[in-house]
């Protein structure tokens, strides 16, 4: 326990070497009603370009690109580019990976899954880019994701909405291309996004959420990663109850997943200092306790427990796909 917490705290100290130099607070303009969540996150069709100019082993490799249907007012953020790996087998399942907050690239996720899928499974892979991250980061942003989650209350709501609608657009574009299973794998903030998507999108076949967040309000107010955003909010008179009300529309635990309960795997870290176990428990209970693994580690398990995460995740996906009789998962 102590070892896990020490590693997380060391990483958190390093995390805050890059922090916003100015307060970003902006009050909410409109607080969306929970009863309107279906309309709020409604999927919008969009043209997505798949460009695969390179060949690697049995894969065509390239990018998918499209213009978001949700305007943030920032042209860099509103144009999405993601990495794409298409297997030559037309029956390959489709795995969409969604990265975490402040990640600068997909490297951490690739180190867990990529080679195992390429060498052993032959599944299609799509690496989705969250708002204000990677190449979507504005020039004046100090770190990847600075403008996605912040004390700018309205922009945080809008960024979550944009992430969900863009992700749903990608899912529907893939389904239009082939009718093979869609698997979502989210890590940390990516898990929060995929969990929320699972309460709205019927085309998701399997959901894996790893070291996921649930309530943004809880994370900002009660964890070390959110301490400077909390300071910003408090300086502008926002209290915890206010924030819960403002961001309730973003909570996955406000609805039951459309994805089959048997096809959901939640993975949590018991000593996580980034995403508290209390908040992950809250979602698990709200969703009727789907399959869950709790590791004896902290958030650093993303790096230290790569092999276990990969084995548990890929094994679960294979089992669920086989049980659905949708496709032979051993394609290479």
């Amino acid at each position: 326990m102590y070892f896990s917490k020490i590693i997380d705290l060391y990483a958190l100290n390093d995390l805050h070497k890059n922090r916003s130099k100015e307060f970003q607070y902006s009050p909410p303009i409109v607080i969306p009603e929970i009863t309107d969540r279906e309309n709020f996150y409604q999927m919008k069709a969009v043209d997505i370009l798949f460009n695969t100019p390179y060949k690697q082993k049995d894969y065509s490799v390239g990018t998918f690109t499209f213009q978001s249907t949700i305007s943030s007012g920032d042209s860099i953020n509103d144009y999405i580019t993601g990495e794409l790996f298409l297997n030559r087998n037309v029956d390959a399942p489709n795995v969409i990976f969604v990265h975490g907050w402040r990640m600068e690239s997909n490297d951490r996720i690739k180190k867990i899954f990529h080679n195992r899928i390429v060498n052993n499974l032959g599944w299609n892979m799509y690496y989705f880019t969250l708002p204000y991250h990677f190449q979507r980061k504005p020039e004046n942003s100090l770190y990847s994701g600075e403008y996605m989650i912040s004390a700018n209350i309205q922009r945080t709501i809008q960024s979550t909405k944009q992430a969900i609608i863009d992700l749903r657009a990608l899912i529907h574009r893939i389904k239009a291309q082939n009718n093979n299973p869609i698997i979502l794998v989210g890590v940390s903030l990516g898990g929060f996004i995929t969990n929320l998507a699972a309460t709205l999108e019927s085309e998701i076949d399997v959901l894996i959420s790893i070291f996921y967040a649930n309530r943004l309000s809880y994370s900002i107010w009660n964890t070390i990663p959110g301490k400077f955003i909390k300071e910003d909010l408090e300086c502008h008179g926002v209290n915890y109850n206010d924030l819960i009300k403002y961001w309730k529309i973003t909570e996955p635990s406000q609805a039951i997943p459309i994805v089959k309960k048997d096809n959901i795997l939640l993975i949590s870290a018991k000593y996580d200092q980034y995403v508290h176990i209390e908040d992950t428990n809250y979602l698990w209970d709200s969703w009727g306790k789907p399959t869950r693994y709790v590791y004896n580690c902290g958030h650093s398990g993303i790096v230290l427990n790569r092999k276990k995460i990969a084995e548990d995740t890929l094994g679960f996906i294979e089992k669920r796909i086989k049980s659905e009789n949708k496709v032979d998962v051993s394609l290479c």
Side-chain angles (χ1 to χ4, degrees):
M1 175 179 70
Y2 296 111
F3 178 69
S4 298
K5 287 186 175 181
I6 288 171
I7 293 177
D8 270 14
L9 291 172
Y10 177 82
L12 283 166
N13 181 63
D14 188 62
L15 178 83
H16 284 139
K17 288 180 180 178
N18 287 324
R19 48 175 287 201
S20 301
K21 291 185 178 180
E22 298 178 352
F23 280 155
Q24 299 202 27
Y25 173 76
S26 183
I29 299 170
V30 177
I31 304 301
E33 296 291 337
I34 288 295
T35 53
D36 194 44
R37 67 190 303 277
E38 295 289 338
N39 289 328
F40 185 75
Y41 292 112
Q42 187 173 12
M43 198 279 297
K44 299 180 181 180
V46 64
D47 291 329
I48 301 179
L49 176 63
F50 291 170
N51 183 31
T52 54
Y54 309 110
K55 299 291 183 182
Q56 292 180 6
K57 203 174 179 180
D58 294 322
Y59 281 85
S60 297
V61 178
T63 59
F64 60 87
T65 55
F66 64 102
Q67 186 73 31
S68 177
T69 59
I70 303 299
S71 175
S72 67
D74 190 311
S75 59
I76 293 176
N77 175 59
D78 291 346
Y79 190 72
I80 298 98
T81 299
E83 296 181 73
L84 173 63
F85 298 81
L86 294 180
N87 193 273
R88 60 180 172 78
N89 192 308
V90 296
D91 294 323
N94 304 290
V95 184
I96 303 173
F97 294 105
V98 185
H99 62 83
W101 187 43
R102 297 180 65 133
M103 286 187 183
E104 298 286 347
S105 71
N106 286 306
D107 286 353
R108 286 188 182 179
I109 294 176
K110 285 183 176 179
K111 286 177 180 178
I112 300 172
F113 298 110
H114 194 86
N115 287 342
R116 289 177 171 88
I117 291 176
V118 168
N119 296 328
N120 303 316
L121 297 167
W123 299 343
N124 298 326
M125 291 178 284
Y126 305 78
Y127 290 89
F128 181 77
T129 306
L130 290 172
Y132 297 106
H133 285 77
F134 305 179
Q135 76 281 353
R136 300 178 71 177
K137 180 178 73 173
E139 291 183 4
N140 60 340
S141 180
L142 295 177
Y143 58 85
S144 183
E146 179 183 9
Y147 291 166
M148 181 174 179
I149 308 296
S150 72
N152 187 318
I153 294 169
Q154 192 69 36
R155 188 175 64 206
T156 300
I157 296 170
Q158 191 74 356
S159 296
T160 304
K161 178 179 181 178
Q162 187 178 47
I164 294 299
I165 292 176
D166 290 345
L167 181 57
R168 295 185 70 186
L170 176 61
I171 290 169
H172 281 254
R173 176 64 179 83
I174 295 169
K175 274 292 186 179
Q177 181 168 293
N178 67 65
N179 197 38
N180 303 332
I182 298 285
I183 299 111
L184 287 193
V185 179
V187 177
S188 194
L189 178 64
F192 158 75
I193 292 296
T194 54
N195 286 346
L196 185 54
T199 67
L200 296 153
E201 181 51 63
S202 61
E203 295 289 3
I204 301 167
D205 293 285
V206 181
L207 170 71
I208 313 291
S209 189
I210 301 163
F211 299 175
Y212 56 91
N214 175 43
R215 294 168 290 180
L216 292 180
S217 54
Y218 180 96
S219 294
I220 294 306
W221 217 262
N222 297 290
T223 71
I224 297 173
K227 69 177 184 179
F228 291 116
I229 297 175
K230 176 184 177 182
E231 178 185 343
D232 190 345
L233 291 165
E234 286 186 311
C235 283
H236 291 90
V238 178
N239 61 41
Y240 188 29
N241 288 331
D242 291 334
L243 197 60
I244 291 172
K245 178 180 66 176
Y246 296 153
W247 285 349
K248 190 172 287 290
I249 192 72
T250 70
E251 293 180 12
S253 52
Q254 288 298 315
I256 299 299
I258 298 174
V259 180
K260 291 181 181 179
K261 184 176 175 180
D262 288 347
N263 290 1
I264 297 173
L265 172 62
L266 304 178
I267 299 178
S268 300
K270 189 174 183 179
Y271 306 113
D272 200 324
Q273 300 299 295
Y274 290 68
V275 181
H276 288 176
I277 192 70
E278 291 83 0
D279 196 39
T280 63
N281 286 345
Y282 187 92
L283 178 77
W284 183 56
D285 286 334
S286 298
W287 280 8
K289 299 184 177 180
T291 302
R292 182 172 75 151
Y293 303 148
V294 179
Y295 295 173
N296 287 317
C297 66
H299 208 73
S300 56
I302 293 172
V303 175
L304 301 178
N305 287 41
R306 287 175 189 156
K307 183 177 179 182
K308 182 172 177 57
I309 291 172
E311 290 176 349
D312 286 345
T313 298
L314 299 178
F316 183 86
I317 295 170
E318 288 186 278
K319 181 179 178 181
R320 296 320 306 159
I321 292 177
K322 285 180 179 178
S323 72
E324 298 289 334
N325 296 316
K326 295 210 172 190
V327 69
D328 180 358
V329 297
S330 301
L331 296 168
C332 284

